[in-house]
């Protein structure tokens, strides 16, 4: 599933291609995504100019004068800007024609993505209003993590992946950040000191920054807005390396399941 670096990579690729462009027509070829594509989208969007391309958590926000288009990539979704005359591909579900002769197309083979519209403040939308802080925001700090974790028995990895704790830290990057912070992903969140949470906050930001610079991580389906894969996978230190030697100490990386998710860690480096 695309995580924050993949979504941010897509946002950065789309921003110069969409900002200031006017949408002239909308074609919906398949409404049955995770939530149905609104029936009135073809009447609402034409004539709207894209004022900004933003991101909140794993949602892309295309801001227009009359409202905001919310896009979630789901597990296999991606957006690309192509010449309008280019033939459609299999699983192209929604197409926004632009006044410059190009088209924004949403492709999603598994149809777990979404494309929704709101005329109100998008941050107050039911999908966004309960989300925690962004990982690069000042509100994501050691004190708030330590306070939120107080008394919690849940393992720190699912605690970190909870979008109410911080948004956008999915399975891959949680594993990588915990390794760099030297924290065992199985340790109860309430048994971690504020000092160790400070190291974890730094590790999360470093890992995400490196992943964004690399264009995200391609494990299976992700490609950015130009169709290029992400290359952070070559920098992964623990994720998907079960049984291989730790890059720091040589101990074999262990694989366990936490919260129904594959979890990789070094039993020697992470305590």
């Amino acid at each position: 599933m695309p995580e924050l670096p993949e979504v941010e990579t897509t946002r950065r690729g789309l921003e110069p291609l969409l900002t200031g462009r006017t949408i002239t027509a909308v074609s919906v070829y398949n409404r049955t995504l995770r939530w149905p594509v609104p029936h009135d989208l073809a009447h609402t969007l034409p004539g709207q100019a894209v004022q900004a391309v933003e991101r909140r958590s794993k949602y892309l926000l295309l801001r227009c004068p009359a409202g905001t288009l919310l896009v979630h990539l789901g597990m296999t979704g991606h957006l690309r800007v192509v010449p309008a005359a280019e033939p459609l591909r299999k699983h192209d579900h929604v197409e926004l024609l632009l006044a410059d002769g190009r088209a924004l197309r949403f492709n999603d083979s598994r149809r777990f993505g979404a494309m929704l519209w709101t005329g109100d403040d998008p941050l107050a939308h039911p999908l966004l209003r309960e989300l925690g802080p962004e990982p690069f925001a000042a509100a994501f700090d050691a004190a708030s993590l330590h306070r939120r974790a107080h008394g919690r028995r849940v393992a720190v990895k699912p605690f970190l992946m909870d979008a109410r704790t911080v948004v956008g830290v999915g399975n891959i990057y949680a594993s990588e950040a915990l390794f760099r912070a030297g924290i065992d992903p199985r340790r109860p969140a309430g048994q971690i000191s504020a000092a160790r949470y400070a190291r974890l906050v730094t590790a999360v930001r470093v890992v995400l920054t490196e992943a964004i610079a690399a264009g995200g991580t391609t494990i299976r389906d992700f490609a950015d807005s130009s169709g290029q894969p992400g290359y952070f996978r070559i920098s992964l230190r623990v994720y998907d390396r079960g049984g291989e030697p730790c890059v720091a100490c040589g101990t074999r990386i262990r694989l366990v399941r936490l919260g129904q998710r594959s979890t990789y860690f070094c039993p020697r480096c992470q305590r």
Side-chain angles (χ1 to χ4, degrees):
M1 178 180 291
E3 299 182 15
L4 185 148
E6 289 77 30
V7 179
E8 178 62 18
T9 296
T10 298
R11 188 201 70 77
R12 294 183 183 189
L14 292 176
E15 185 175 40
L17 302 176
L18 297 181
T19 304
R21 305 300 196 275
T22 298
I23 299 166
T24 59
V26 177
S27 296
V28 179
Y29 305 111
N30 190 339
R31 295 188 186 279
T32 56
L33 302 181
R34 183 175 183 181
W35 298 285
V37 177
H39 284 277
D40 59 354
L41 201 63
H43 303 288
T44 304
L45 273 179
Q48 295 289 312
V50 178
Q51 297 174 314
V53 181
E54 301 174 357
R55 180 191 55 75
R56 175 67 172 116
S57 183
K58 300 178 186 179
Y59 291 86
L60 289 167
L61 282 61
L62 275 60
R63 293 194 181 253
C64 301
T68 303
L69 187 67
L70 278 65
V71 182
H72 194 285
L73 300 179
M75 297 184 69
T76 57
H78 62 271
L79 293 161
R80 69 188 193 280
V81 176
V82 299
E86 181 175 300
L88 292 171
R89 296 181 186 176
K90 186 178 181 180
H91 306 303
D92 279 345
H93 301 311
V94 182
E95 178 179 49
L96 309 184
L97 294 179
L98 307 173
D100 64 2
R102 292 183 292 180
L104 174 67
R105 291 176 181 167
F106 179 67
N107 184 289
D108 186 3
S109 60
R110 299 187 68 177
R111 293 185 297 166
F112 288 153
M115 186 170 282
L116 304 169
W117 174 263
T118 179
D120 302 318
D121 177 6
L123 300 184
H125 190 279
L127 293 172
L128 303 183
R129 66 189 176 202
E130 302 297 330
L131 293 174
E134 291 283 331
F136 296 106
F140 176 58
D141 61 12
S144 64
L145 274 182
H146 190 248
R147 184 168 53 251
R148 183 175 179 83
H150 180 71
R152 300 283 299 276
R153 295 182 178 181
V154 63
V156 66
K157 180 168 173 273
F159 170 73
L160 183 63
M161 291 176 61
D162 186 340
R164 294 167 295 183
T165 300
V166 59
V167 301
V169 184
N171 197 35
I172 296 172
Y173 302 110
S175 292
E176 292 296 307
L178 286 164
F179 172 76
R180 298 199 191 193
I183 298 173
D184 188 322
R186 303 168 299 176
R187 181 175 289 277
Q191 295 181 13
I192 296 173
S193 68
R196 300 192 80 192
Y197 272 126
R199 292 200 294 272
L200 181 57
V201 168
T202 297
V204 165
R205 290 173 174 161
V206 169
V207 166
L208 292 179
T209 297
E210 291 178 359
I212 292 169
T217 303
T218 297
I219 296 297
R220 187 184 307 166
D221 298 296
F222 173 70
D224 67 15
S225 58
S226 65
Q228 297 300 309
Y231 291 99
F232 188 68
R233 182 170 187 173
I234 63 175
S235 301
L236 295 176
R237 302 184 185 182
V238 288
Y239 186 83
D240 205 28
R241 296 190 63 245
E244 298 180 24
C246 172
V247 297
C249 72
T251 302
R252 290 188 180 278
I253 299 298
R254 287 192 58 189
L255 167 63
V256 298
R257 295 192 72 81
L258 288 175
Q260 307 303 313
R261 305 301 299 273
S262 297
T263 299
Y264 300 86
F265 68 101
C266 173
R268 182 175 181 182
C269 294
Q270 295 174 252
R271 301 290 182 179

